[in-house]
Amino acid sequence: MTKVIFFFVLLLATKYANGGGGFTFDEYYYQTYGGNHLSVLDNGNEVQLLMDQSTGAGFSSKREFGSGYFGINMKIPDKNSTGINTSFYLISVPVGQPVGGVKHYEIDIEFLGTNGNPHIISTNVFVNDFGAKEQLFHLWFDPTMDFHKYAILWNHHQIVWFVDETPIRVWKNISNLGVGFPTVPMHLEASIWNPDWLGSVDWAQGPFIAYYRRFPIHGCRHAGSNPQKCYSETYYWNQKHYCQLSPDQEKKLQEMRKIYMFEDYCNDPYKKGQECLLNQ
Ligand SMILES: *[C@@H]1O[C@H](CO)[C@@H](O)[C@H](O)[C@H]1NC(C)=O
Ligand SMILES: *[C@@H]1O[C@H](CO)[C@@H](O)[C@H](O)[C@H]1NC(C)=O
Ligand SMILES: *[C@@H]1O[C@H](CO)[C@@H](O)[C@H](O)[C@H]1NC(C)=O
């Protein structure tokens, strides 16, 4: 018996060691663009996206989801990356279709390299509109030094942005008040690129490399025929504990907003909506 168990442990160890399945990049994601600017390393446990003057790179989840607790570990370029956008996000627009100027759903985590100060995380949400609901935070650590976990919880009650399990932002489902909430399947994407509007890049600082780890996706696959399936409490992220923040999380959220948030669309009379009062 012991021998048999030992054999299986050995088999599992070999399977994961050689990246033959389980937790690796290829199980969950595929490259969308960038050629050799995407490298799969460490037997599929790490991906590097490299940006230079010729191109950036990106990847997408293989599947579409209807709910989930979507996390990834990331380390962003350790250079003065002014002009560079490193991201991890959910989006409803199919890969390869133009996004600009198209109403759609999107939940963003972005790092926008700014003046050599990389300790800034930007969040945004599109609810069948053009977005413009940014909230920006200073980080309490240097995201270029180590891997940290960035995650988006999305169920039918709320969207929550987490940094290392600490909630920094909430978008509640208050669709009964007419506030938008994602109603269609979304997939995950990650990329590094340089949007014109972020300003010019100092290419001499490059190449800029973003690192990603921990690829397993905790999501309900959107099956098409039965979208209600993704409401089911058989998925842990739909259970009571995830439908609203706990008192501790609520306290943490207030602290994060107070100490670290330095830009909020809710302070802009032209951008803010009725959700602003209810999402804090
Ligand atoms: C950063 O890139 C992501 C992914 O392409 C995009 O959704 C987002 O709008 C970009 N943000 C800025 C400020 O350029
Ligand atoms: C970072 O690079 C930008 C663009 O080249 C430059 O304007 C800025 O002064 C640099 N910041 C630092 C802290 O070096
Ligand atoms: C939002 O919540 C309402 C209940 O208040 C529910 O009927 C609806 O399906 C939810 N919407 C989404 C998109 O999850």
Side-chain angles (χ1 to χ4, degrees):
M1 187 63 185
T2 322
K3 253 189 196 159
V4 174
I5 291 171
F6 177 73
F7 177 72
F8 275 112
V9 169
L10 200 73
L11 203 73
L12 274 173
T14 322
K15 182 172 149 86
Y16 293 130
N18 65 19
F23 303 125
T24 60
F25 176 75
D26 289 338
E27 288 281 306
Y28 302 94
Y29 293 99
Y30 68 97
Q31 179 172 8
T32 46
Y33 74 102
N36 65 5
H37 284 48
L38 181 150
S39 322
V40 182
L41 300 167
D42 188 17
N43 298 309
N45 289 305
E46 179 168 317
V47 159
Q48 296 186 0
L49 300 183
L50 183 147
M51 168 103 229
D52 63 17
Q53 232 162 329
S54 67
T55 182
F59 59 85
S60 167
S61 63
K62 292 180 171 173
R63 296 183 166 177
E64 298 285 329
F65 302 98
S67 67
Y69 184 29
F70 305 97
I72 206 156
N73 283 30
M74 252 171 98
K75 187 163 72 132
I76 66 164
D78 65 343
K79 300 282 176 61
N80 174 357
S81 57
T82 296
I84 306 281
N85 174 338
T86 309
S87 62
F88 177 66
Y89 57 102
L90 282 157
I91 187 165
S92 64
V93 181
V95 170
Q97 283 188 21
V99 176
V102 177
K103 283 187 180 179
H104 66 283
Y105 292 94
E106 188 174 323
I107 309 170
D108 289 332
I109 291 176
E110 297 157 23
F111 293 90
L112 309 171
T114 43
N115 287 336
N117 176 1
H119 307 205
I120 290 172
I121 189 169
S122 170
T123 62
N124 199 1
V125 55
F126 293 60
V127 284
N128 196 27
D129 59 13
F130 303 110
K133 297 176 189 59
E134 285 99 351
Q135 286 182 348
L136 273 64
F137 301 81
H138 290 290
L139 288 169
W140 48 98
F141 53 82
D142 181 349
T144 70
M145 288 288 289
D146 293 301
F147 283 91
H148 289 269
K149 184 179 175 187
Y150 303 96
I152 298 163
L153 168 70
W154 166 37
N155 59 37
H156 295 278
H157 302 275
Q158 59 178 356
I159 296 163
V160 186
W161 288 255
F162 291 94
V163 175
D164 290 330
E165 314 295 346
T166 300
I168 59 166
R169 181 175 183 179
V170 175
W171 181 273
K172 291 177 186 159
N173 173 355
I174 37 175
S175 57
N176 54 331
L177 299 178
V179 175
F181 198 82
T183 55
V184 298
M186 292 193 279
H187 61 275
L188 287 159
E189 290 187 28
S191 65
I192 187 166
W193 66 301
N194 64 319
D196 298 340
W197 55 86
L198 287 186
S200 65
V201 176
D202 179 4
W203 294 110
Q205 300 270 343
F208 304 95
I209 303 173
Y211 306 79
Y212 294 82
R213 280 183 163 266
R214 300 269 170 95
F215 300 109
I217 297 175
H218 298 205
C220 166
R221 185 178 191 178
H222 196 279
S225 56
N226 182 16
Q228 299 286 327
K229 180 188 84 149
C230 291
Y231 291 45
S232 163
E233 283 188 27
T234 54
Y235 298 108
Y236 75 80
W237 53 84
N238 290 331
Q239 289 168 9
K240 208 167 150 230
H241 177 61
Y242 293 87
C243 294
Q244 64 179 78
L245 298 184
S246 69
D248 275 357
Q249 286 179 318
E250 186 63 43
K251 210 173 128 206
K252 210 71 190 153
L253 176 77
Q254 294 314 326
E255 204 178 304
M256 295 295 127
R257 288 173 53 86
K258 193 164 158 226
I259 304 176
Y260 298 109
M261 188 168 70
F262 67 95
E263 211 174 295
D264 182 3
Y265 81 102
C266 289
N267 293 329
D268 182 333
Y270 295 103
K271 289 183 177 172
K272 74 172 179 192
Q274 55 173 326
E275 74 282 0
C276 284
L277 281 175
L278 296 159
N279 282 332
Q280 44 179 287

